[in-house]
Coordinates of all heavy atoms in Angstrom, one line a residue:
L195 N 99.3 76.8 120.0 CA 98.5 76.6 121.2 C 97.3 75.7 121.0 O 97.1 74.8 121.8 CB 98.0 78.0 121.7 CG 99.0 78.9 122.4 CD1 98.4 80.3 122.6 CD2 99.3 78.2 123.8
A212 N 103.6 87.2 123.3 CA 102.8 87.8 124.4 C 102.1 89.0 123.8 O 102.7 90.0 123.5 CB 103.6 88.2 125.6
T233 N 105.7 78.7 132.3 CA 106.9 78.2 133.0 C 108.1 79.1 132.8 O 109.2 78.8 133.2 CB 107.2 76.7 132.4 OG1 107.3 76.8 131.0 CG2 106.2 75.8 132.8
Q237 N 107.4 81.1 127.8 CA 107.4 79.7 127.8 C 106.1 79.2 128.5 O 105.8 79.5 129.6 CB 108.6 79.1 128.4 CG 108.8 77.6 128.3 CD 110.2 77.1 128.7 OE1 111.1 77.8 128.4 NE2 110.2 76.0 129.4
I304 N 75.7 75.0 113.4 CA 76.2 76.4 113.9 C 75.2 77.4 113.4 O 74.8 77.5 112.3 CB 77.6 76.7 113.2 CG1 78.6 75.6 113.5 CG2 78.1 78.0 113.7 CD1 79.9 75.7 112.8
L339 N 90.2 77.7 105.5 CA 90.9 76.4 105.2 C 91.7 75.9 106.3 O 91.7 74.8 106.7 CB 91.7 76.5 103.9 CG 92.5 75.3 103.5 CD1 91.6 74.1 103.3 CD2 93.2 75.5 102.1
E368 N 100.7 76.9 104.2 CA 102.0 76.1 104.4 C 102.4 76.1 105.9 O 102.8 75.1 106.4 CB 103.1 76.8 103.6 CG 103.0 76.7 102.1 CD 103.6 75.4 101.5 OE1 103.7 74.4 102.3 OE2 103.9 75.5 100.3
F377 N 103.0 68.0 114.8 CA 102.1 67.3 115.8 C 101.6 65.9 115.2 O 100.7 65.4 115.8 CB 101.0 68.2 116.2 CG 101.3 69.2 117.2 CD1 101.9 70.5 116.7 CD2 101.2 69.0 118.5 CE1 102.2 71.4 117.6 CE2 101.5 70.0 119.4 CZ 102.1 71.2 119.0
F389 N 92.8 68.8 99.7 CA 93.6 68.4 100.8 C 92.9 67.2 101.5 O 91.7 67.2 101.7 CB 93.7 69.5 101.8 CG 94.4 70.8 101.3 CD1 93.6 71.7 100.5 CD2 95.7 71.0 101.5 CE1 94.2 72.8 100.0 CE2 96.3 72.2 101.0 CZ 95.6 73.1 100.2
A409 N 107.6 87.1 111.1 CA 108.1 87.6 109.8 C 107.3 88.9 109.4 O 107.9 89.8 108.7 CB 108.0 86.6 108.7
G422 N 116.4 104.0 105.8 CA 117.4 104.7 106.7 C 118.8 104.3 106.6 O 119.6 104.3 107.6
E429 N 116.5 89.4 114.1 CA 116.8 88.0 114.6 C 115.6 87.3 115.0 O 114.7 87.9 115.7 CB 117.8 88.1 115.8 CG 119.2 88.7 115.4 CD 120.1 88.8 116.6 OE1 119.7 88.7 117.7 OE2 121.3 89.0 116.3
E461 N 119.4 90.7 107.3 CA 119.9 92.1 107.4 C 119.7 92.9 106.1 O 119.8 92.3 105.0 CB 121.4 92.0 107.7 CG 122.1 93.3 108.0 CD 123.5 93.1 108.4 OE1 123.8 92.9 109.6 OE2 124.4 93.2 107.5
L469 N 114.7 104.4 96.4 CA 114.3 103.0 96.2 C 113.6 103.0 94.8 O 113.0 104.0 94.3 CB 113.3 102.6 97.2 CG 113.9 102.4 98.7 CD1 112.7 102.2 99.7 CD2 114.8 101.3 98.7
D475 N 102.4 91.6 92.4 CA 101.3 90.7 92.9 C 101.7 90.4 94.3 O 102.7 89.7 94.6 CB 101.1 89.5 92.0 CG 100.0 88.6 92.5 OD1 99.7 88.6 93.7 OD2 99.3 88.0 91.6
M484 N 101.5 95.6 103.3 CA 101.1 96.9 103.8 C 102.4 97.8 104.0 O 102.4 99.0 103.8 CB 100.4 96.7 105.1 CG 99.0 96.1 105.0 SD 98.2 96.0 106.6 CE 97.9 97.8 107.0
D494 N 111.1 105.9 93.4 CA 111.5 106.9 92.3 C 110.3 107.0 91.3 O 110.5 107.7 90.3 CB 112.8 106.4 91.6 CG 112.6 105.1 91.0 OD1 111.6 104.5 91.0 OD2 113.7 104.6 90.4
S497 N 104.2 103.1 92.3 CA 104.2 101.7 92.6 C 102.8 101.2 92.6 O 101.8 101.9 92.9 CB 104.8 101.4 93.9 OG 106.2 101.7 93.9
R506 N 90.5 93.9 102.7 CA 89.2 94.5 103.0 C 88.5 93.8 104.2 O 87.6 94.4 104.8 CB 88.3 94.6 101.8 CG 88.8 95.5 100.7 CD 87.7 95.9 99.8 NE 88.2 96.7 98.7 CZ 88.5 98.0 98.7 NH1 88.3 98.7 99.9 NH2 88.9 98.7 97.7
S531 N 89.5 97.8 93.5 CA 88.9 96.8 94.3 C 89.9 95.8 94.9 O 89.6 95.3 96.0 CB 87.9 96.0 93.4 OG 88.6 95.3 92.3
N545 N 104.1 116.4 110.1 CA 103.1 116.5 111.2 C 101.7 116.0 110.8 O 100.7 116.4 111.4 CB 103.0 118.0 111.7 CG 104.3 118.4 112.3 OD1 104.8 117.8 113.3 ND2 104.8 119.5 111.8
L571 N 102.4 112.0 113.6 CA 101.6 111.8 114.8 C 100.8 110.5 114.6 O 100.0 110.5 113.6 CB 100.7 113.0 115.1 CG 100.2 113.1 116.5 CD1 101.4 113.4 117.5 CD2 99.2 114.3 116.6

Side-chain angles (χ1 to χ4, degrees):
L195 280 171
T233 54
Q237 186 168 320
I304 306 174
L339 176 56
E368 293 274 25
F377 281 86
F389 300 79
E429 295 181 342
E461 188 173 272
L469 295 170
D475 184 325
M484 292 181 69
D494 59 5
S497 293
R506 295 202 184 277
S531 60
N545 296 303
L571 201 66

